[in-house]
Amino acid sequence: MDLVPALEEPLQQPLKSVLGPATAKVMAEHLGLHTVGDLLHHYPRRYEERGQLTHLADLPMDEHVTVVAQVADARLHSFASAKAPRGKGQRLEVTITDGSGRLQLVFFGSGVHKPHKDLLPGTRAMFAGKVSVFNRRLQLAHPAYELLRADAEESVETWAGALIPLYPATAKLESWKIGKAIQTVLPHAQEAIDPLPDSLRAGRGLVSLPEALLKIHRPHTKADIDDARARLKWDEAFVLQVALARRRHADAQLPAVPRVPAADGLLAAFDARLPFTLTEGQRKVSGEIFDDLATDHPMHRLLQGEVGSGKTLVALRAMLAVVDAGGQAALLAPTEVLAQQHHRSVVEMMGELAEGGMLGGSERATKVVVLTGSMGTAARRQALLDLVTGEAGIVIGTHALIEDKVKFHDLGLVVVDEQHRFGVEQRDALRSKGKQPPHLLVMTATPIPRTVAMTVFGDLETSVLDQLPAGRSPIASHVVPAADKPHFLARAWERVREEVDNGHQAYVVCPRIGDEEDGKGGRAGKKSAEDEAEKRPPLAVLDIAGRLAEGPLRGLGVEVLHGRMPPDDKDAVMRRFAAGDTDVLVATTVIEVGVNVPNATAMVIMDADRFGVSQLHQLRGRVGRGSAAGLCLLVSEMPEASAARQRLNAVASTLDGFELSRIDLEQRREGDVLGQAQSGARSSLRVLAVIEDEEVIAQAREEAARLVAADPELTTLPGLRTALDALLDEEREQYLEKG
């Protein structure tokens, strides 16, 4: 929840005398705070107790921090330098302590005079700056500081109370300046309109919104903070869940054509020719989907599951059920490579059932067509004709399916693969091609913790496939520390050769294509190993492929695949690899989803630290798809102690995608997952943590569903309507759709 009407005044106007235009500008540009309401909803990150000191030993490197500590000693040194050759350069070194650890502060030149006067031994203050290391000691260079004295009137006023709030800050605006600005607007909190229904607030013992805002910014006790956070978490969870519940409610009012498969139709014929039995999970999820398809309002279901759990088969059976019932089904894929891959595997699985209207096709067969932006005119015209006449029961395509020219005879089901690649307009544009709203099945191979599913995909019912089909092989994963142990990397290439010698194939994945301009030089001066690994451009497909073909993989068939190749070339490369004509495919993440080559058993991911946890899990799922065991090697130059290496160790330690998605979420924070990527909009979540607050989210979902069922238009709750409008402002209207 962001704004309430009484608090919509721009910061620059009411606070001119306090903030000034420059401060208001920094708040807008660096913190996304534009109004009084925004500022009131900028909550403290944590609190320091006046009598306690920060743990200096726990400070994170290279981050902007605010600490409360006491000056132990201060020494002024003179030195000679280019600017002050006669030894008149001045350096002030101040050591601060928390009673156990110590931290050095350094000031230079004319900047030494004020701190030399202020920072006397025994003085307590707040210090803000970026943590760095000099001579193996932690230090803050030229930190900003605010003395904590009881004698100055302003300090007593500003820091009244035992708890000092520390705010998310930037190098351009320290925490205490934000705090002072918030204290100035805090009286406006009384005008905040409460979005929660009184009955809900009373029933759950929550304080009012004005009281919560006062307590979070000016707490007197830790109980005040707990009261405020409990209340503000409910606001965030509840407003979001009401938005989702209203969408579910609106969708449930739409009419849809029930689609029930014929007892001896296409689906039955398909099941009869499957060379294996469905897993228990596939049967259960298919049952949920068929139940939804048989109703007279549109299905909205999220199908999520592990890499290789057989989602495509479940989706295909749903499509066949719809074709059986006289409708058509469209599968929307995010890339041409994936659309072609899906088309090939569907046609392969269906056999003569995919040859509708063709000689040798089964009498129950339908036509399966592919539609992509790069198709030739004749093929495209034929595909469009097959769709509008109903000749094609199934179409698989990219964004090209959404174009105005594409018309269906009777679109009954839309399957969206990899939901996070598509926005709501695209999803809805395809759905609008049905005479009545078609059923919708959204698939994701990125396992999502239940709480995230409830928060991001709350307008969809969820089905989970967490069982791997029989015959899938385990994948061994290892981190290859290329900088610390170069011989490990040499051994990685030997392992690739061994796999090829055994009749198998391998992928090598790089973060970049390589024909772009490299970023211009890094920073001057001495760099740490971590800096070196992070600052050089990521390894590129075109460079690595050449090096491997001439070096450690000489004599093997090495080909490249990346997103900027012409579609026909991409398709030809994938066909050769699938046919076993290529030994090693050096590729970007175009192979991340859907690519299925059971004979590929090894994958080497270069600069693995440049990929996210979920992405690494996706990539790894491309191997071990046949009867031979899979091997995934994560190559990184990052030092062992770095956060990036910890992330890679986590990926190597488990094949459980749900566990990895939790780790990923804890490391990236929800902001990235819930709305950070959406057109630059900030996440609406300030205090709610989707992993920790599972109970609040689940309860808010129940309350929201009850409320919307009774009053879909929220006629009796103007405060809630206002909060919804703020959440779903123009910038964020697609927010709910893009997890």
Side-chain angles (χ1 to χ4, degrees):
M1 192 194 70
D2 247 350
L3 308 176
V4 284
L7 309 181
E8 281 178 3
E9 302 150 279
L11 282 173
Q12 288 192 18
Q13 288 166 23
L15 299 183
K16 250 178 192 161
S17 57
V18 182
L19 291 188
T23 307
K25 189 170 181 237
V26 172
M27 282 195 168
E29 288 177 4
H30 294 271
L31 294 168
L33 306 176
H34 302 278
T35 66
V36 171
D38 284 345
L39 190 51
L40 286 175
H41 287 296
H42 187 71
Y43 307 133
R45 190 191 296 278
R46 59 190 173 88
Y47 301 84
E48 288 289 0
E49 289 186 57
R50 188 176 270 288
Q52 284 192 341
L53 297 168
T54 311
H55 285 292
L56 297 178
D58 299 338
L59 294 180
M61 280 294 299
D62 281 337
E63 278 192 30
H64 198 82
V65 298
T66 303
V67 298
V68 176
Q70 193 164 333
V71 176
D73 64 54
R75 294 178 187 177
L76 194 60
H77 301 276
S78 297
F79 62 91
S81 70
K83 287 184 182 171
R86 294 186 186 158
K88 293 195 177 170
Q90 289 194 306
R91 180 176 77 247
L92 175 66
E93 291 178 2
V94 177
T95 305
I96 58 173
T97 178
D98 60 358
S100 56
R102 290 181 164 238
L103 180 65
Q104 182 109 356
L105 314 179
V106 190
F107 302 86
F108 290 101
S110 57
V112 303
H113 304 304
K114 189 171 187 310
H116 190 219
K117 197 170 72 199
D118 289 343
L119 301 177
L120 304 172
T123 305
R124 190 168 289 181
M126 291 199 288
F127 303 93
K130 197 172 184 183
V131 183
S132 58
V133 171
F134 183 74
N135 284 343
R136 296 188 159 183
R137 291 167 69 189
L138 290 180
Q139 74 166 25
L140 297 181
H142 278 287
Y145 61 88
E146 176 85 357
L147 302 180
L148 297 178
R149 286 192 301 235
D151 52 288
E153 227 175 280
E154 184 189 35
S155 291
V156 173
E157 188 59 41
T158 312
W159 310 113
L163 292 159
I164 302 166
L166 297 183
Y167 290 90
T170 74
K172 293 187 184 301
L173 197 64
E174 293 86 16
S175 168
W176 51 85
K177 288 184 183 167
I178 295 169
K180 284 177 181 174
I182 286 172
Q183 295 301 327
T184 309
V185 300
L186 206 47
H188 286 274
Q190 297 300 340
E191 301 164 58
I193 299 172
D194 205 319
L196 292 192
D198 292 342
S199 56
L200 188 156
R201 203 155 48 81
R204 297 196 174 268
L206 299 169
V207 299
S208 70
L209 179 57
E211 189 181 338
L213 290 171
L214 284 169
K215 283 184 168 179
I216 199 127
H217 291 300
R218 196 184 273 168
H220 294 292
T221 63
K222 287 184 178 174
D224 283 352
I225 300 167
D226 292 343
D227 284 353
R229 287 179 67 83
R231 162 60 213 247
L232 295 167
K233 280 181 182 191
W234 255 94
D235 273 20
E236 291 176 5
F238 183 69
V239 173
L240 185 55
Q241 292 301 337
V242 167
L244 292 164
R246 289 184 79 198
R247 184 172 174 93
R248 278 198 306 277
H249 183 270
D251 284 338
Q253 308 311 304
L254 297 170
V257 179
R259 309 283 180 174
V260 181
D264 58 347
L266 185 56
L267 177 62
F270 174 77
D271 284 349
R273 73 186 300 281
L274 277 177
F276 50 81
T277 54
L278 298 176
T279 65
E280 183 66 34
Q282 285 172 323
R283 274 201 297 276
K284 177 175 154 287
V285 169
S286 288
E288 292 169 351
I289 292 170
F290 292 152
D291 287 349
D292 283 359
L293 290 174
T295 61
D296 56 8
H297 57 83
M299 165 173 81
H300 288 91
R301 191 166 282 279
L302 172 70
L303 171 57
Q304 59 162 325
E306 280 293 7
V307 180
S309 57
K311 290 182 301 298
T312 309
L313 177 61
V314 169
L316 176 55
R317 293 183 75 238
M319 292 196 284
L320 294 174
V322 169
V323 175
D324 243 359
Q328 291 169 291
L331 170 60
L332 184 61
T335 65
E336 293 210 353
V337 167
L338 191 49
Q340 297 284 5
Q341 173 83 28
H342 274 316
H343 182 250
R344 270 199 299 276
S345 60
V346 164
V347 168
E348 205 174 287
M349 281 195 272
M350 287 176 65
E352 74 275 3
L353 297 174
E355 295 169 358
M358 294 161 70
L359 209 58
S362 160
E363 60 185 40
R364 284 175 290 196
T366 188
K367 207 169 185 181
V368 179
V369 299
V370 67
L371 188 67
T372 63
S374 64
M375 283 170 76
T377 311
R380 184 182 180 74
R381 194 178 292 130
Q382 185 59 53
L384 292 173
L385 187 64
D386 288 340
L387 288 179
V388 78
T389 59
E391 188 83 13
I394 294 176
V395 59
I396 296 164
T398 55
H399 296 77
L401 281 176
I402 297 166
E403 291 168 11
D404 291 343
K405 289 185 193 128
V406 181
K407 302 275 188 281
F408 288 85
H409 177 64
D410 180 14
L411 181 60
L413 170 67
V414 173
V415 180
V416 181
D417 193 15
E418 287 308 303
Q419 151 72 7
H420 62 280
R421 310 276 185 98
F422 293 103
V424 65
E425 303 118 318
Q426 295 160 321
R427 194 164 108 174
D428 286 349
L430 188 49
R431 282 167 61 188
S432 70
K433 292 182 180 292
K435 289 170 185 162
Q436 283 193 308
H439 299 282
L440 175 71
L441 180 65
V442 167
M443 295 198 295
T444 177
T446 307
I448 307 166
R450 175 173 165 262
T451 40
V452 183
M454 279 194 294
T455 312
V456 184
F457 297 107
D459 61 333
L460 304 171
E461 297 300 322
T462 303
S463 293
V464 177
L465 274 176
D466 49 12
Q467 232 181 330
L468 287 186
R472 287 300 297 264
S473 304
I475 305 168
S477 305
H478 304 284
V479 177
V480 177
D484 312 347
K485 298 177 178 167
H487 59 286
F488 276 34
L489 183 57
R491 175 68 189 127
W493 303 126
E494 284 173 20
R495 283 291 290 113
V496 170
R497 290 197 86 100
E498 287 164 16
E499 290 298 313
V500 174
D501 289 345
N502 288 331
H504 299 303
Q505 293 158 277
Y507 298 101
V508 177
V509 181
C510 303
R512 206 164 54 96
I513 296 172
D515 51 5
E516 329 76 343
E517 268 189 49
D518 290 345
K520 300 285 184 285
R523 296 182 304 199
K526 197 172 177 188
K527 296 175 185 161
S528 68
E530 198 157 344
D531 276 346
E532 290 288 359
E534 268 194 341
K535 294 302 167 204
R536 73 161 167 70
L539 294 172
V541 165
L542 298 176
D543 303 337
I544 292 291
R547 273 191 245 164
L548 293 176
E550 291 164 19
L553 303 185
R554 186 182 292 128
L556 301 186
V558 177
E559 287 209 64
V560 300
L561 179 71
H562 59 75
R564 283 215 295 277
M565 289 165 65
D568 288 351
D569 293 0
K570 280 192 278 199
D571 202 36
V573 169
M574 272 317 300
R575 281 178 189 278
R576 286 196 291 275
F577 191 65
D581 299 338
T582 305
D583 298 319
V584 179
L585 189 62
V586 183
T588 56
T589 54
V590 290
I591 62 155
E592 180 187 346
V593 286
V595 173
N596 183 22
V597 180
N599 192 45
T601 52
M603 175 176 285
V604 181
I605 303 178
M606 307 302 291
D607 277 345
D609 47 88
R610 309 280 180 128
F611 299 99
V613 170
S614 296
Q615 204 171 24
L616 291 170
H617 183 59
Q618 285 287 345
L619 287 165
R620 171 171 62 184
R622 300 304 110 213
V623 296
R625 299 179 80 84
S627 53
L631 172 69
C632 180
L633 301 175
L634 306 166
V635 179
S636 173
E637 292 187 1
M638 297 301 273
E640 194 163 355
S642 65
R645 274 283 288 281
Q646 307 298 314
R647 208 168 61 235
L648 296 182
N649 291 340
V651 175
S653 69
T654 179
L655 292 173
D656 182 340
F658 286 90
E659 175 58 28
L660 285 175
S661 67
R662 288 182 82 93
I663 292 168
D664 193 22
L665 193 56
E666 281 159 7
Q667 290 184 340
R668 289 194 299 150
R669 303 199 337 275
E670 297 83 10
D672 303 332
V673 180
L674 303 178
Q676 203 74 353
Q678 279 68 280
S679 61
R682 289 173 296 127
S683 162
S684 70
L685 303 192
R686 309 271 198 282
V687 285
L688 189 74
V690 293
I691 288 289
E692 293 162 30
D693 297 319
E694 185 160 357
E695 208 173 305
V696 174
I697 292 167
Q699 290 170 359
R701 183 180 164 103
E702 280 171 30
E703 292 273 11
R706 215 173 7 251
L707 178 83
V708 170
D711 180 10
E713 295 306 311
L714 311 178
T715 47
T716 57
L717 297 163
L720 179 54
R721 281 212 310 275
T722 304
L724 271 177
D725 292 342
L727 173 70
L728 302 175
D729 59 17
E730 270 179 52
E731 267 196 310
R732 281 201 213 124
E733 63 191 323
Q734 296 134 35
Y735 156 88
L736 303 174
E737 308 300 327
K738 297 181 186 170

